[in-house]
Amino acid sequence: MTPDIIAPPAPRRLGRPALVLIGLSLLAVISIVLFMTLGAKGSWSFVLSFRGKKLLGLLLVAYSVAVSTVLFQTVTNNRILTPSIMGFDALYVLIKTGVVFFLGVGALVAIDSQIQFIVEVLVMIGFSGILFRWLFLGEERSLHLLVLVGIIFGVLFRSLSQLMQRMLDPGAFNVLQDTLFASFATTDPTLLGISCIIVAAVSAVGLRLMHTYDVLSLGRAQAINLGVDYKRTVVVILSLVAVLVSVSTALVGPVTFFGLLVATLAHSLVGNSKHRYVLPAAILLGIVALVGGQTLLERVFAFDTALSIIIEFLGGIVFIALVLRRSAR
């Protein structure tokens, strides 16, 4: 009798999430290589050092915005919301406007950029801390109430900013407006170092909570039934989100819809809600958008427009499409 021949097991095919991550990784690497080498002239040591600082800033913002948006949507269980809806961007504008209104336009240049960065980060984190303390200490309140209060404060901050801006002279107003657009072209190396340390510390805490993200996306009741310390976990995640948003906003300026853009595309491309796929996909999409977009801006359009304007325009379209789709349902 001939022995039975056992066929070798068929090779496992890569699933859709893995293929998406591989494709996005290749696009991110190509974007980085083109950004560092395209149109480079002169000494490579100078070119790599100069562009490397800009690249680090772009990577840091892409990472911070992508992670903060995905986590914020997870705890709120709503894919239309972004952390900027809590009033962070409006508070940043109010701080800048208040400096020009009370101290004069020269204060934007006279005050050390590192001091400005630290003050802006501390004020935004302090604002979020007050909201979280009010929400989770004492009487139990709904998380969506926190979002509504954040929206109200955002409207208040914008109204105060517009009031002060109307009383500025045209020259000071023009200078102020230039500082309110997100700029990815230049970043202070010292501020980059400080930001990297803060983001790395926040990421270390976030990784320890990685196992709870998928459970939290099921909703408050299901998360509690599955053994998650809901109150403590949500406070920690919202604190991490506040720090990431504060650092990225203080570093380059407000980018309201960028996080919504990359988070929505990440969910659509991956095809499921598992955070071990969605988070890296959102980060890679952010890198492709910022690094690839900045490369096109510098090498193709020769700085004829601002990258933040293009990103905000596309993100706004995605936001409107999501709202219309929700209303249709």
Side-chain angles (χ1 to χ4, degrees):
M1 297 180 62
T2 59
D4 294 335
I5 299 176
I6 301 176
R12 292 184 59 186
R13 296 180 59 184
L14 293 176
R16 174 178 172 180
L19 292 175
V20 168
L21 291 180
I22 292 174
L24 291 177
S25 299
L26 292 175
L27 287 177
V29 171
I30 293 172
S31 300
I32 292 173
V33 172
L34 290 178
F35 179 81
M36 294 295 293
T37 59
L38 193 63
K41 298 178 182 179
S43 172
W44 275 103
S45 59
F46 171 78
V47 170
L48 295 178
S49 174
F50 178 74
R51 294 190 180 184
K53 297 173 184 176
K54 296 169 63 176
L55 176 63
L56 180 59
L58 293 169
L59 296 179
L60 190 67
V61 173
Y63 175 87
S64 300
V65 174
V67 172
S68 62
T69 302
V70 172
L71 294 185
F72 187 77
Q73 291 179 347
T74 297
V75 296
T76 58
N77 202 20
N78 192 318
R79 293 186 187 176
I80 292 181
L81 300 180
T82 66
S84 48
I85 203 172
M86 298 292 296
F88 291 105
D89 293 352
L91 181 57
Y92 173 84
V93 173
L94 179 62
I95 295 172
K96 290 289 188 181
T97 305
V99 169
V100 175
F101 183 80
F102 291 107
L103 302 179
V105 69
L108 289 177
V109 180
I111 300 177
D112 186 74
S113 60
Q114 298 176 22
I115 296 177
Q116 293 187 46
F117 175 82
I118 293 173
V119 170
E120 290 163 1
V121 170
L122 291 179
V123 169
M124 285 186 278
I125 293 177
F127 166 68
S128 63
I130 293 173
L131 284 181
F132 302 158
R133 179 182 177 85
W134 171 79
L135 176 68
F136 290 105
L137 291 184
E139 181 183 353
E140 188 73 19
R141 296 180 175 90
S142 169
L143 183 62
H144 292 91
L145 182 60
L146 171 69
V147 176
L148 291 175
V149 172
I151 294 174
I152 293 172
F153 272 106
V155 173
L156 173 63
F157 296 153
R158 290 186 185 92
S159 300
L160 292 174
S161 300
Q162 292 172 3
L163 175 63
M164 288 187 287
Q165 289 172 10
R166 289 178 183 275
M167 292 186 284
L168 294 175
D169 64 82
F173 178 76
N174 288 333
V175 174
L176 173 63
Q177 285 295 104
D178 290 338
T179 65
L180 299 182
F181 285 102
S183 174
F184 306 98
T186 57
T187 47
D188 189 324
T190 304
L191 297 183
L192 274 177
I194 297 173
S195 301
C196 287
I197 294 173
I198 296 174
V199 171
V202 167
S203 300
V205 177
L207 283 174
R208 298 187 63 180
L209 298 173
M210 189 73 181
H211 64 284
T212 65
Y213 297 154
D214 290 340
V215 180
L216 286 174
S217 63
L218 299 175
R220 181 178 181 274
Q222 288 82 354
I224 293 175
N225 290 334
L226 291 173
V228 174
D229 187 349
Y230 183 82
K231 181 176 178 180
R232 174 183 172 276
T233 305
V234 168
V235 169
V236 173
I237 293 176
L238 287 177
S239 301
L240 300 182
V241 169
V243 173
L244 290 174
V245 174
S246 301
V247 169
S248 63
T249 303
L251 187 64
V252 300
V255 280
T256 306
F257 291 113
F258 176 59
L260 179 65
L261 178 64
V262 297
T264 301
L265 290 176
H267 281 286
S268 299
L269 292 175
V270 170
N272 61 53
S273 300
K274 294 182 179 179
H275 285 75
R276 66 175 181 269
Y277 301 124
V278 174
L279 277 172
I283 295 169
L284 291 171
L285 281 167
I287 293 173
V288 172
L290 288 187
V291 179
Q294 190 68 26
T295 303
L296 290 175
L297 176 66
E298 294 182 5
R299 305 302 161 206
V300 178
F301 298 107
F303 294 100
D304 286 339
T305 186
L307 177 61
S308 59
I309 295 177
I310 300 174
I311 290 176
E312 294 296 272
F313 174 74
L314 295 176
I317 293 176
V318 172
F319 176 76
I320 294 173
L322 289 174
V323 171
L324 293 176
R325 189 171 67 179
R326 286 288 182 93
S327 62
R329 290 179 179 175

